[in-house]
Structures are given as structure tokens and as C-alpha cells.
Amino acid sequence: MNTSDIDMMLAEKGNPCISMIIPTARLTRERMENPQLIERAVLRARQLLANSTWPNEKIVAMNGTLDSIRDRIGYIRFQEGLAIFISPNVFKIELLPFPVKEKVMLGKNFEVRDLIYFSQFLKPYYLVALSKKRVRLFKGSGHDLQEIINDDFPKQYVEEYEYAMPSIGSSSGALKDFERDKSILQETRQKSFLKQADDTLKKYMKDDTPLFVAGVGEELANFSHLSHHVKKIAGKIAGNYDVDAVHPLAESAWEQIKKMIKTSQDELLLRLQENFGKQLAVDGMRNVWKAAKEGKGLTLLLEKDYQVTGYCDPLNDSHLYLTRPPGKYEAIMDAADEVISVVKEKGGNVVIVENGQLKEYEHVAMILRY
């Protein structure tokens, strides 16, 4: 999944859009319940279609797509969540590696905040695995980690020199001096080896892509001391990954990515607070809605599972009501999801944070352009 997938889904408007977010299980025993959970969500989607006022031909076509779900997911290796999106033009299935709240919705657009939340963790990164024998380079995104194998990496350490052993008649002091000199020479060559690997990294580290470094304490310390890329190191992973331990390395990298995103969001929340002092931020759904419609939204911050029904005048949708107003009005099933589309359409950023992080801002806030 990438941002273009999300943009494509946000562009699907004016058609019936089914969004199904389903909690699933990885473990064998709980995994047996996944088919029932999916069937229940499909049944709920059918009921929403049956009770809707969409043209019959569209309902029939979407029911046909719902029929094909069982075959499409038959061989999927489930994670913690499953997202399914269906419209006359879209059929997308996405695995989500984090806990989700069950949602089955039918509307004029897709409920994409779980995808936006997931995409925040998919920033590409590099990972260097260090050992005395070799240096390996990986490129990753989220849970996916692939080793780079070419003329540059893996870089193998080669012992190029022989040591002149002391003669038989030498004293024990000479042997100690020899061992000390040998150890110093080996350490010097190990550092030189790491420096060569770091120099080769320049070819790959040309932008703001974060770098993770894995290895035992000595290698981590030496690399951090001599590397040209210290400012790009986003995290360190302790352990010996000289063997083909890609899966545990990927899991460790995933934990580091979550910490990195948490730090980034904490910094954004501090900036939000500062912008309130400058009168360059608003909170609460009604204020955020108005600012978004006016094109003032620079960065929208929204809790992952916050949903609210809203109402607006169909001839003037710049004002949002959270209770039914008198006269004619249009009901918006999830105003939080609609405001995401508005902000994205007007070139703003959207950041989805954990539930409760925006409690003091009524679960939604926005940093303004002006």
C-alpha cells in the first residue's frame, strides 16, 4: 500500500462505498474464528445495501463483489486487522498489523483513516547489520525487509595480513607483547572495515531516509563513533544478526519504527500546543470543519477511532451541526472521515494519532496555514 492507493480511494465519491474494518487473529486457535468474523461483516454490508436507496444495478453488482470475498481471502495469512473496500470501481483488501475497531459502513466515500494510520509506518528505511565478519544492508518498509545483495553488500571482512610469531626462545613478555599488538592491529582493521562499509553507504543514504543499525555493543559503538550518517540513525537494535535472521530483524525494526513514529507525533502535539498560543490552531469538530472548508487546514490531527455524526445545509456546507438542525439538512454519517477528504483535497496533511491523545481537544484538532 502507498499514498497513491489512498488518494485513489479518496477520489471515489458519489458511488456507494462499503468499508469493512475487521479485527482478526494471527494465533492458530483464535484464527479459526476469522471466517465467522468476515462472514458477519459481509452480512452487515448486505443489510446496509438492502436498506439503502442506491440504484438496484449498483446494489446487485456490489453484492456480486461481496460474494467473491471468500475466494479472495482464502489463502491470506491474517494479521491483527483486515480492511476491505468495495465500490463500483474499487475492490481492495489490506492486511493491518495493529489492533482495529470493527467497522462496517456504507456511504458516499470510503472510511480510510486506518489506512492513513498504517501508511504513517510505511516510510522506507535502511538497516545495517554489523558483525566482525561482514556488514549486511537491508531496505525496509513496515514489516517488509529485503536484503540488498550486489557488488556493494554484503561486505565481507578479509584478514589480509599474517602475524610474525615470536621465536621459540622468546620470553613470556614477548608473547604478551605479541598478543597485545595483534589485538590492537585487529581492532584497527575492524574499524577500517566498518569505515569502508560506511563510505559505501553514502551511495544509498542520499535523502532523509532513516537508518537503523543492528549489532552487538562493540560494533554499534564503533560504527556510531566513525559513521558519517550518525544524524540519520533513528534507532539501534542490539544482537548478533550475522546469520540469516531476517524475520526477527524485521520484527525488531518494526518496534523501532513504532517508537520513531511515537516520538514524531509527540513533537507534533507540542507544536499544536504552541500554535494555539499563536492563534494558528483550532479544535473540536465544528471548528475544524469550518477551517477545513475554508482551505485553512495545514495539518489535521485526528484520533484513530473517533467518529461523529454531523448535519449541514445542502446548499451551504461550511457550517457543521452536531445535532439535527431545523429545516432541510444533509446527514453525514462520519464527519471525521469527511473532513479528512476535505483537508487532503485542499493540499493539507493528515496525521492519525492513538485514541485519547487528543482528549483535551475534543479528539480532533488542526494546525492552520494562516
Side-chain angles (χ1 to χ4, degrees), residues 106-124:
L106 171 64
K108 295 180 181 179
N109 50 19
F110 288 116
E111 214 289 353
V112 297
R113 81 181 70 182
D114 286 286
L115 294 189
I116 295 176
Y117 177 82
F118 185 27
S119 71
Q120 294 169 171
F121 296 85
L122 296 181
K123 184 176 182 178

Side-chain angles (χ1 to χ4, degrees), residues 9 117 135 160 162 181 190 219 273-274 278 319 323:
M9 294 176 67
Y117 177 82
V135 174
E160 298 177 346
E162 295 182 358
D181 291 344
Q190 281 289 331
E219 277 77 29
Q273 196 171 31
E274 292 170 358
K278 301 174 184 177
H319 295 280
T323 57

Side-chain angles (χ1 to χ4, degrees), residues 127-146:
L127 186 150
V128 174
L130 309 170
S131 75
K132 293 184 181 299
K133 296 180 180 180
R134 60 176 176 164
V135 174
R136 305 164 71 192
L137 179 63
F138 299 82
K139 188 168 186 178
S141 175
H143 268 98
D144 185 44
L145 189 65
Q146 302 292 328

Side-chain angles (χ1 to χ4, degrees), residues 5-125:
D5 292 332
I6 296 173
D7 292 340
M8 177 268 293
M9 294 176 67
L10 286 171
E12 178 70 350
K13 291 187 173 183
N15 276 315
C17 297
I18 294 174
S19 305
M20 293 186 284
I21 311 298
I22 306 166
T24 52
R26 295 185 182 187
L27 300 178
T28 303
R29 181 177 297 177
E30 290 83 359
R31 209 165 54 204
M32 301 295 289
E33 299 178 10
N34 289 337
Q36 287 78 18
L37 294 172
I38 295 165
E39 287 292 340
R40 186 175 69 187
V42 169
L43 178 60
R44 176 60 181 150
R46 291 189 192 281
Q47 291 171 339
L48 291 173
L49 280 172
N51 296 331
S52 73
T53 58
W54 290 102
N56 185 63
E57 64 271 15
K58 292 188 177 182
I59 293 175
V60 171
M62 294 181 68
N63 271 319
T65 305
L66 287 168
D67 288 338
S68 68
I69 286 178
R70 187 182 294 105
D71 293 334
R72 291 285 294 270
I73 65 173
Y75 300 99
I76 285 180
R77 190 171 183 176
F78 290 104
Q79 298 186 22
E80 292 181 74
L82 178 68
I84 303 174
F85 303 95
I86 298 172
S87 76
N89 302 311
V90 175
F91 183 16
K92 184 170 181 59
I93 297 174
E94 193 71 46
L95 296 172
L96 303 174
F98 53 84
V100 298
K101 178 181 178 181
E102 184 176 12
K103 304 170 194 171
V104 181
M105 303 174 67
L106 171 64
K108 295 180 181 179
N109 50 19
F110 288 116
E111 214 289 353
V112 297
R113 81 181 70 182
D114 286 286
L115 294 189
I116 295 176
Y117 177 82
F118 185 27
S119 71
Q120 294 169 171
F121 296 85
L122 296 181
K123 184 176 182 178
Y125 65 89

Side-chain angles (χ1 to χ4, degrees), residues 217-355:
E218 183 180 355
E219 277 77 29
L220 288 175
N222 287 337
F223 186 84
S224 298
H225 180 71
L226 58 82
S227 176
H228 294 89
H229 307 97
V230 173
K231 292 183 179 180
K232 293 185 177 181
I233 296 178
K236 298 178 181 179
I237 301 169
N240 185 352
Y241 296 96
D242 191 38
V243 295
D244 293 330
V246 176
H247 179 70
L249 195 53
E251 289 297 321
S252 296
W254 174 245
E255 293 303 316
Q256 291 290 329
I257 290 166
K258 289 193 286 188
K259 290 179 183 178
M260 181 179 71
I261 298 301
K262 173 77 165 57
T263 299
S264 173
Q265 293 188 349
D266 287 345
E267 293 171 353
L268 183 59
L269 290 171
L270 287 175
R271 187 151 63 90
L272 173 67
Q273 196 171 31
E274 292 170 358
N275 276 270
F276 270 105
K278 301 174 184 177
Q279 297 185 333
L280 285 173
V282 293
D283 61 354
M285 182 51 70
R286 292 187 66 186
N287 294 329
V288 167
W289 178 279
K290 185 174 185 297
K293 288 290 184 177
E294 293 172 351
K296 294 181 180 179
L298 178 63
T299 302
L300 171 69
L301 294 91
L302 179 67
E303 288 186 2
K304 185 160 72 77
D305 294 318
Y306 174 60
Q307 293 178 282
V308 59
T309 301
Y311 308 88
C312 66
D313 184 338
L315 300 178
N316 179 14
D317 65 356
S318 61
H319 295 280
L320 183 75
Y321 302 91
L322 300 183
T323 57
R324 287 186 177 88
K328 293 183 178 181
Y329 61 85
E330 181 180 356
I332 302 166
M333 296 304 296
D334 186 2
D337 199 55
E338 177 66 23
V339 85
I340 289 175
S341 298
V342 175
V343 171
K344 294 280 282 183
E345 284 174 1
K346 296 182 182 293
N349 303 312
V350 177
V351 176
I352 308 299
V353 302
E354 299 295 338
N355 298 328

